Amino acid sequence: MTSLHDPLPLPCGQVLPNRIMKAALSEALGDARNAPDGRLERLYTTWSRGGYGLLVTGNVMIDRTQLGEPGNVVIEDERDLDALTSWAKTTKDAGVPIWVQLNHPGRQSNPLALGHTPVAPSAVPLDIPGAVTPRELTPGEIEDIIERFAAAALVCETAGFDGVQIHGAHGYLVAQFLSPLANRRDDDWGGDPERRMRFVLEVVRRIRARVSPGFAVGIKLNSADFQRGGFTEDESRGVVAALAQEGLDLIEVSGGSYESPAMMGTAAASTRAREAYFLEYARTVRALAGNVPLAVTGGFRSRTAMDQAIGAGECDVVGIGRPTATTTDAADVILTGRTDTLTTHQLRSGMRGVFGKVVDLKTLDGVLDLGWHTDQLHRISAGLEPDPNRGRLATTVALLRRNGRGSFGRKRGG
């Protein structure tokens, strides 16, 4: 029976040393030019000693005019090749593969970027109070974005990274093209499930054609977006079946968006009954994925649940996200049996009776929780230990400092 300790050969020829992946977490640690620096090197050197079989970076953007948040690293060309190369080297001594998660925010670009108009498949704003209505992309702009994904992937390979992961989940641009709520086009890029999935297929094909055969290409895909009338599990299964024919090396299953943040543990009670939120869905696409390995991220905390999922063949890789912000060696802790269950920290907003009348508490809780975990990554990047006791006030102040008006001027590269 397969175990967490077993290596995993990928279709491209790479071999992951074990079955536990540090899933992507948005670090927001790019410098003023949106380049990586010593802080990201320090963070990933720390994670490289954590026993993981794969490290996936968080939210590297492909267009510096379209950021998900301040501090995103951006790869458009080779201007930051030296810094990217230094980042890629951080895991080599430990023998841990590192992949770059490539992303475009679409309508989820920084909501506090004053004067900035996001772009999206259609002019449909997020269902969040105060959301800006995006501008609909032209066919030519869509082609440019596909090319940007491919160009960024090639730079990643040149810099020495082992692969890239396309972010096709959590409501970002790829997921927006897949969603009938966000994509209301009636041209070649929308109108039915086949045309809505064309964008992601073209991105995968363009990247795979541009990089070498031994360079890994993966994708993070929603099982569903958990919104009425949105991207369904049946549609997601159709996308998995199509992607399985495109030379991918790993499909990571997640779910939700920032309108309905299932990836933060807010899925329905029937889904939460299992420790891993999206494992039930993963079982239904196991055969559809063919020889492409499946990773499941979201909710895994105990060694027992991880062992059972891998041993039963429900998935090939277990993704761990937020726990790695406070337990940086989470994989080693599980693999060596030092604990059976990883510690989970979840921050919720205060004065819920007051705030609940004016804001969506699920969204507010999600923002605070993400901010709390980002704070931990910033501490590690500064050479400090995580602070599990960090409270709401400190988290809120840090969020405002990072995302305040002064941080949202459009950053231009040199």
Side-chain angles (χ1 to χ4, degrees):
M1 187 170 70
T2 305
S3 79
L4 291 168
H5 295 267
D6 290 338
L8 175 64
L10 301 181
C12 68
Q14 284 185 33
V15 179
L16 305 187
N18 64 58
R19 304 301 181 99
I20 301 181
M21 169 182 75
K22 195 288 292 180
L25 295 169
S26 187
E27 310 96 355
L29 284 168
D31 67 15
R33 298 176 56 255
N34 302 109
D37 60 20
R39 295 172 299 163
L40 277 168
E41 293 173 31
R42 191 175 295 112
L43 175 61
Y44 277 82
T45 297
T46 301
W47 273 328
S48 75
R49 306 187 191 108
Y52 304 96
L54 174 63
L55 297 175
V56 182
T57 76
N59 260 355
V60 171
M61 297 295 161
I62 58 171
D63 184 342
R64 66 190 65 249
T65 70
Q66 301 289 332
L67 302 181
E69 60 191 321
N72 285 147
V73 170
V74 178
I75 301 177
E76 294 178 320
D77 48 40
E78 293 191 355
R79 75 184 73 181
D80 299 314
L81 186 59
D82 289 346
L84 290 166
T85 300
S86 295
W87 187 11
K89 287 178 178 177
T90 57
T91 71
K92 301 308 178 188
D93 287 346
V96 183
I98 179 172
W99 296 4
V100 175
Q101 185 186 72
L102 297 178
N103 194 9
H104 188 297
R107 66 180 186 172
Q108 283 188 174
S109 67
N110 190 336
L112 300 180
L114 300 179
H116 171 66
T117 301
V119 295
S122 301
V124 180
L126 286 167
D127 187 17
I128 293 175
V132 176
T133 300
R135 179 177 60 78
E136 181 173 301
L137 289 161
T138 68
E141 289 172 327
I142 293 171
E143 171 62 29
D144 176 70
I145 292 172
I146 293 170
E147 178 61 26
R148 284 176 176 272
F149 271 104
L154 182 57
V155 173
C156 290
E157 182 176 20
T158 303
F161 290 98
D162 300 288
V164 293
Q165 180 190 70
I166 301 159
H167 199 337
H170 301 173
Y172 292 105
L173 185 66
V174 172
Q176 289 163 35
F177 268 96
L178 292 170
S179 169
L181 290 178
N183 183 353
R184 300 180 185 176
R185 305 176 72 98
D186 58 3
D187 60 2
D188 292 341
W189 302 99
D192 55 45
E194 288 70 30
R195 284 181 288 173
R196 288 199 300 272
M197 76 170 73
R198 181 187 170 197
F199 179 76
V200 66
L201 292 175
E202 291 296 332
V203 169
V204 172
R205 290 166 183 165
R206 191 73 58 87
I207 291 175
R208 188 75 272 177
R210 194 69 54 86
V211 300
S212 67
F215 187 74
V217 181
I219 189 167
K220 187 169 193 166
L221 184 70
N222 269 4
S223 60
D225 57 22
F226 297 94
Q227 291 176 276
R228 181 173 298 176
F231 185 60
T232 66
E233 288 193 359
D234 282 343
E235 289 178 321
S236 181
R237 282 187 275 270
V239 176
V240 169
L243 288 170
Q245 310 303 314
E246 300 297 336
L248 285 174
D249 295 288
L250 187 67
I251 297 174
E252 179 187 354
V253 174
S254 189
S257 68
Y258 292 104
E259 294 172 300
S260 182
M263 66 286 192
M264 301 296 294
T266 58
S270 60
T271 305
R272 289 201 306 269
R274 294 186 64 91
E275 179 175 319
Y277 317 136
F278 311 113
L279 196 56
E280 189 173 324
Y281 164 84
R283 291 205 310 269
T284 71
V285 296
R286 176 69 279 177
L288 294 173
N291 70 339
V292 182
L294 284 182
V296 173
T297 299
F300 275 115
R301 297 295 180 263
S302 72
R303 183 174 67 239
T304 299
M306 297 179 201
D307 276 331
Q308 288 176 348
I310 296 296
E314 294 174 313
C315 63
D316 303 287
V317 175
V318 166
I320 303 174
R322 286 174 293 160
T324 70
T326 48
T327 306
T328 58
D329 58 348
D332 189 66
V333 164
I334 290 294
L335 292 171
T336 60
R338 281 188 280 149
T339 186
D340 185 61
T341 304
L342 296 172
T343 301
T344 301
H345 300 271
Q346 190 164 21
L347 195 66
R348 302 174 78 223
S349 56
M351 297 187 294
R352 302 183 70 78
V354 175
F355 285 129
K357 297 176 182 178
V358 294
V359 299
D360 182 341
L361 288 177
K362 286 194 303 181
T363 299
L364 181 58
D365 287 346
V367 169
L368 278 174
D369 194 70
L370 286 169
W372 188 91
H373 285 85
T374 299
D375 289 348
Q376 307 302 331
L377 303 189
H378 283 224
R379 288 181 62 85
I380 300 165
S381 76
L384 303 173
E385 292 295 318
D387 178 13
N389 297 316
R390 190 173 180 82
R392 288 190 297 261
L393 179 58
T395 298
T396 302
V397 170
L399 273 168
L400 292 173
R401 184 180 297 119
R402 280 196 300 270
N403 300 330
R405 180 171 181 172
S407 302
F408 282 82
R410 296 189 188 179
K411 300 177 177 66
R412 301 290 180 184

